[in-house]
Amino acid sequence: MIVVMLAETPQHHIDAVIARVHDLGFKTNVQVGEEQTVVGLVGSGINQDLADLLASMPGVAKTLRVSKPYKLASKEFHPRPTIIRVADAEIGGKEVVVMAGPCSVETQEQVLRIAEGVRERGAKLLRGGAFKPRTSPYAFRGLGEQGLEFLANAREKTGLGIITEVMTPADVELVGQYTDVFQVGARNMQNYFLLEELGRTSKPVMLKRGPSGSIEEWLLAAEYIMAQGNHEVILCERGIRTFETATRNTFDINAVAYAKQVTHLPVFADPSHATGVRNLVPPMAAAAVAAGADGVIVEVHYDPDNALSDGAQTLNFQQFGQMMDQLRAIAPAVGRTLNPVKV
Ligand code: PEP
Ligand code: MN
């Protein structure tokens, strides 16, 4: 439930509502807007009596029940879009933000060269996995902490923000010492202990949708992070498992448009994992931006065929540059911008 305060209510009325709510055993989430303040209630046992009680307090304009099972993530609870600032990017703002880089960090030279290549073409964040969830235990599983160091050095040299995956609660502290944005991989969407641990940090989290997670389960997973106090969650649709075998996954573009309608959180798309096929990445990135995505995250390597993971879906610099040109043309048609090339 949310309690909407009257415009220009004196602060002591707002404080009284918050104190009352706490006395009754609920947590609050307060949003101070330009015109009015909204107090959100979190907890179980919210009922009509409570709504009536709070509605009768001085300074309260109205109370509103949040109908969705996810509360903090819902637009009913927080109507204005959440904007997350990382490096010089405003994720969830007017600009379409592109994150790009290799699937896996391989060497210092590799990640630096790719960072420079994607930055020149307009990426704002560098992606790269140091802890890799691989389908086979015999596949390359990442460089671990050394990979994080290589990413941090690339950030130092290029000014790009960095995003990298964290797979277990035990690694959150270590990864948090290096990264700007935590990535929760699709396989971990419902790893609730990991989500809660990330909810206790103060760095943004990109939450990939699980390959068999419904949209509601995905939003409830975001709620796990937010319920611990970290409200900087970026949702990322990365394809789901269907009967289709021509592509690695099926890119559920419905999910992008749907999520944009029900949540205030930024919504991204990952056309690399969604398709698994290099040539399908640019058109699906274009479709994502046209559908309202706040950005895309794509895999890029100067030599995709020799990448240590996910080469088949990885773009080379030229393909990435062409994709960016196309996104730059599409963005204004949907009321967005995309930064010009810096070369
Ligand atoms: C990745 O980003 O390289 C990755 C493993 O993605 P996902 O969790 O979406 O499979
Ligand atoms: Mn990958």
Side-chain angles (χ1 to χ4, degrees):
M1 183 167 70
I2 59 175
V3 181
V4 183
M5 305 301 296
L6 289 167
E8 292 165 27
T9 311
Q11 187 61 39
H12 67 270
H13 284 162
I14 300 171
D15 293 342
V17 167
I18 295 170
R20 192 68 188 264
V21 169
H22 288 168
D23 282 350
L24 292 163
F26 298 96
K27 287 188 182 165
T28 50
N29 175 279
V30 183
Q31 292 168 59
V32 182
E34 269 162 35
E35 282 165 20
Q36 58 195 172
T37 295
V38 172
V39 181
L41 270 67
V42 191
S44 55
I46 292 170
N47 57 28
Q48 194 54 46
D49 286 348
L50 176 66
D52 293 344
L53 175 87
L54 295 172
S56 68
M57 290 185 71
V60 173
K62 61 180 173 184
T63 59
L64 215 66
R65 299 290 287 275
V66 178
S67 58
K68 298 277 194 292
Y70 40 90
K71 310 290 179 192
L72 300 172
S74 124
K75 235 186 208 173
E76 294 169 77
F77 192 84
H78 186 300
R80 282 172 302 138
T82 287
I83 297 179
I84 300 173
R85 291 178 180 82
V86 181
D88 65 342
E90 285 201 348
I91 297 165
K94 190 164 187 211
E95 189 178 346
V96 171
V97 172
V98 176
M99 306 181 182
C103 177
S104 297
V105 176
E106 299 170 3
T107 64
Q108 180 67 83
E109 293 66 37
Q110 174 245 19
V111 80
L112 191 55
R113 189 167 154 198
I114 296 173
E116 280 163 353
V118 299
R119 185 185 55 86
E120 279 171 15
R121 291 165 179 83
K124 287 269 172 104
L125 273 86
L126 172 67
R127 63 144 290 147
F131 293 95
K132 297 299 303 176
R134 300 304 301 277
T135 304
S136 162
Y138 307 118
F140 174 62
R141 293 167 70 186
L143 297 180
E145 186 169 4
Q146 191 180 42
L148 300 175
E149 280 167 18
F150 293 164
L151 280 170
N153 291 336
R155 169 180 51 208
E156 189 95 340
K157 293 225 162 66
T158 60
L160 292 172
I162 57 180
I163 171 166
T164 196
E165 179 160 356
V166 59
M167 297 206 300
T168 74
D171 287 341
V172 167
E173 201 189 328
L174 173 74
V175 176
Q177 284 167 20
Y178 294 91
T179 200
D180 297 305
V181 180
F182 289 107
Q183 176 176 323
V184 175
R187 293 158 185 82
N188 271 321
M189 183 194 89
Q190 288 177 307
N191 182 340
Y192 297 124
F193 292 112
L194 175 62
L195 301 179
E196 290 193 319
E197 192 63 33
L198 291 167
R200 290 188 280 269
T201 70
S202 53
K203 290 201 170 168
V205 180
M206 173 177 276
L207 177 65
K208 298 263 199 118
R209 178 179 175 195
S212 53
S214 69
I215 297 175
E216 188 170 294
E217 287 165 342
W218 182 33
L219 290 159
L220 282 166
E223 193 79 11
Y224 263 88
I225 301 170
M226 299 175 83
Q228 294 302 317
N230 183 355
H231 291 194
E232 299 209 312
V233 180
I234 304 159
L235 296 161
C236 181
E237 158 61 34
R238 48 75 76 201
I240 52 173
R241 185 68 66 91
T242 69
F243 57 81
E244 183 53 68
T245 53
T247 50
R248 181 176 179 185
N249 289 297
T250 296
F251 181 33
D252 183 10
I253 198 149
N254 293 353
V256 172
Y258 184 95
K260 283 300 293 176
Q261 286 182 17
V262 299
T263 177
H264 54 90
L265 298 172
V267 179
F268 265 56
D270 173 346
S272 307
H273 294 87
T275 60
V277 183
R278 191 177 300 155
N279 292 342
L280 299 180
V281 172
M284 291 306 100
V289 171
D294 294 296
V296 293
I297 178 164
V298 292
E299 291 183 335
V300 178
H301 196 295
Y302 48 82
D303 184 9
D305 290 336
N306 286 306
L308 290 183
S309 56
D310 286 351
Q313 66 195 31
T314 297
L315 304 178
N316 64 29
F317 287 156
Q318 194 209 356
Q319 290 160 332
F320 177 65
Q322 284 169 354
M323 183 199 89
M324 292 297 282
D325 287 343
Q326 205 178 11
L327 297 188
R328 268 184 205 99
I330 292 168
V334 288
R336 310 298 285 259
T337 57
L338 210 168
N339 61 327
V341 193
K342 278 190 188 150
V343 195

